[in-house]
Amino acid sequence: MKKAVALFTALAIAVSAFGFGAGAADTNTPSANTEVQTVSEQAAKNFYDVSSSYWGRTAINWCVDQGLFGGTTNTMFSPEQEMTRAMFITVIGRKAKVDKGQYNGLLTFTDVKRDDYFSPYLQWANKYGITKSIEDGNKFKPNQPITRLEMIDVLYRYAKACGNDMSADGTKFYNFKDYTKVPFNSYDVMMWATDKGIINGNSAGELNPKGTSSRAEIAQMLYNSRNAFSKTT
């Protein structure tokens, strides 16, 4: 009985966290654009683990207001928790306002089921080549934590598919001491992200492309990206 209760609780937390969709890093934010920028303080008031002085509070409020993702429970946001590939694709799908009813077919990925909560968003992303760089043959590895570079690559492909301005001069990118850790064929992706102020380095001032990001850091990067998206569909 105890095991059943524990399993039910774990499933409830997963649905709550992603059914709605460390340290003060990537905190520089650009000015607002034509996208709705309303940030409600009511959002974070529901989360006891997001204090009024928490560095990512504004970004978390914005993401919750936009319906990108919510708490892991009704009272917790779990800002330091990692985000998986499936979770991030769900967030991007919600940002694009994907109509899940149009994507209820089967995927070729052997590790994704038709009724998985993220399946419609993955079908959409796969159709437009948004997940191309993180697909591994016939596997998507949905439960694998998404790396910072993978996340930026997905965001880049999504922005490009929407017809946004993808120009970048690379000046900011080459100022990071670990820029050489970025694969050469991904330079344009990271140049765009740094030029647009989406990613500003972790607490050590590094891009850390192979590292993972917390929910709060991803919320901040999404908040930072709003100037890069004059078009979201």
Side-chain angles (χ1 to χ4, degrees):
M1 183 64 180
K2 290 183 178 179
K3 289 184 178 179
V5 172
L7 178 59
F8 177 80
T9 302
L11 289 172
I13 289 175
V15 171
S16 175
F18 309 112
F20 294 106
D26 300 305
T27 55
N28 296 334
T29 57
S31 58
N33 64 3
T34 55
E35 188 177 342
V36 177
Q37 299 299 327
T38 302
V39 177
S40 170
E41 277 297 303
Q42 187 60 41
K45 285 181 179 178
N46 295 328
F47 305 129
Y48 74 80
D49 55 354
V50 180
S51 68
S52 59
S53 59
Y54 187 69
W55 66 268
R57 184 182 176 93
T58 297
I60 290 170
N61 278 332
W62 183 81
C63 284
V64 173
D65 282 343
Q66 297 293 310
L68 303 184
F69 55 93
T72 52
T73 71
N74 289 333
T75 58
M76 290 180 62
F77 184 79
S78 302
E80 304 306 321
Q81 181 178 305
E82 289 181 331
M83 187 171 280
T84 65
R85 290 177 168 191
M87 296 168 189
F88 190 68
I89 288 302
T90 299
V91 169
I92 297 302
R94 289 210 160 106
K95 183 175 177 64
K97 295 179 173 57
V98 171
D99 181 356
K100 294 192 296 181
Q102 294 183 13
Y103 298 94
N104 55 7
L106 295 174
L107 280 165
T108 57
F109 301 117
T110 59
D111 55 355
V112 177
K113 298 178 181 178
R114 183 175 181 174
D115 59 351
D116 283 335
Y117 74 91
F118 60 89
S119 181
Y121 300 116
L122 181 55
Q123 290 176 49
W124 161 79
N126 176 258
K127 177 181 178 179
Y128 291 102
I130 294 170
T131 53
K132 184 177 181 179
S133 67
I134 62 174
E135 296 171 5
D136 186 8
N138 64 349
K139 291 186 177 181
F140 180 66
K141 300 179 180 178
N143 296 320
Q144 181 171 301
I146 192 166
T147 68
R148 289 163 67 86
L149 179 57
E150 289 172 342
M151 179 189 62
I152 291 299
D153 192 280
V154 168
L155 203 59
Y156 176 89
R157 290 174 185 273
Y158 166 48
K160 188 174 183 179
C162 291
N164 290 287
D165 175 22
M166 306 307 292
S167 62
D169 61 21
T171 302
K172 293 181 180 179
F173 172 71
Y174 288 113
N175 285 333
F176 287 96
K177 59 185 178 182
D178 65 335
Y179 79 87
T180 56
K181 293 183 180 180
V182 176
F184 184 74
N185 61 359
S186 295
Y187 271 26
D188 56 342
V189 172
M190 200 60 84
M191 283 181 183
W192 169 79
T194 53
D195 187 73
K196 303 299 183 185
I198 298 171
I199 186 168
N200 299 295
N202 58 18
S203 57
E206 298 174 335
L207 293 170
N208 191 22
K210 294 182 179 180
T212 57
S213 290
S214 68
R215 284 164 54 83
E217 288 173 328
I218 289 177
Q220 187 67 59
M221 291 181 203
L222 289 169
Y223 181 68
N224 290 355
S225 75
R226 63 201 194 285
N227 244 17
F229 283 88
S230 59
K231 303 174 183 177
T232 57
T233 58

